[in-house]
Amino acid sequence: MTMQTIESAATGPNDDSYNAGYFDGELDAISKLPARMANDRASMADPHDPLWAQGYADGYLHQIQVTYALAQKQAAS
């Protein structure tokens, strides 16, 4: 009987799960995903891929801040 070993795929230094999670978080913020659902996604992913979960939360929060800053700038104009 053979057993399959699980290994992470060979990726480049800029292609890791943190960056993938960051991008996913930004997209969810742009699509106006509620914060509660974003938190649930990050919480569910954390036991399996903590780097993706941290990147997701960071990307989501960053995009929310960028969107808010742009709205404030437009309101002031």
Side-chain angles (χ1 to χ4, degrees), residues 17-30 52 55-56 59-60:
S17 61
Y18 178 87
N19 290 336
Y22 194 93
F23 182 70
D24 291 341
E26 286 180 320
L27 290 178
D28 281 348
I30 290 168
W52 185 92
Y56 180 84
Y60 184 85

Side-chain angles (χ1 to χ4, degrees), residues 6-7 12 14 19 23 25 27 38-40 53-54 56-58 62 64 72:
I6 308 284
E7 278 188 52
N14 295 329
N19 290 336
F23 182 70
L27 290 178
N39 184 44
D40 288 347
Q54 183 63 49
Y56 180 84
D58 290 347
H62 176 259
I64 294 293
Q72 292 296 322

Side-chain angles (χ1 to χ4, degrees):
M1 174 185 233
T2 60
M3 294 184 68
Q4 180 180 7
T5 57
I6 308 284
E7 278 188 52
S8 58
T11 58
N14 295 329
D15 188 26
D16 60 13
S17 61
Y18 178 87
N19 290 336
Y22 194 93
F23 182 70
D24 291 341
E26 286 180 320
L27 290 178
D28 281 348
I30 290 168
S31 67
K32 299 181 180 178
L33 181 76
R36 184 173 181 169
M37 289 183 72
N39 184 44
D40 288 347
R41 285 185 183 177
S43 295
M44 287 187 291
D46 190 51
H48 305 286
D49 191 351
L51 278 177
W52 185 92
Q54 183 63 49
Y56 180 84
D58 290 347
Y60 184 85
L61 293 173
H62 176 259
Q63 189 59 46
I64 294 293
Q65 291 172 337
V66 167
T67 303
Y68 178 78
L70 287 172
Q72 292 296 322
K73 185 176 180 181
Q74 288 177 351
S77 298

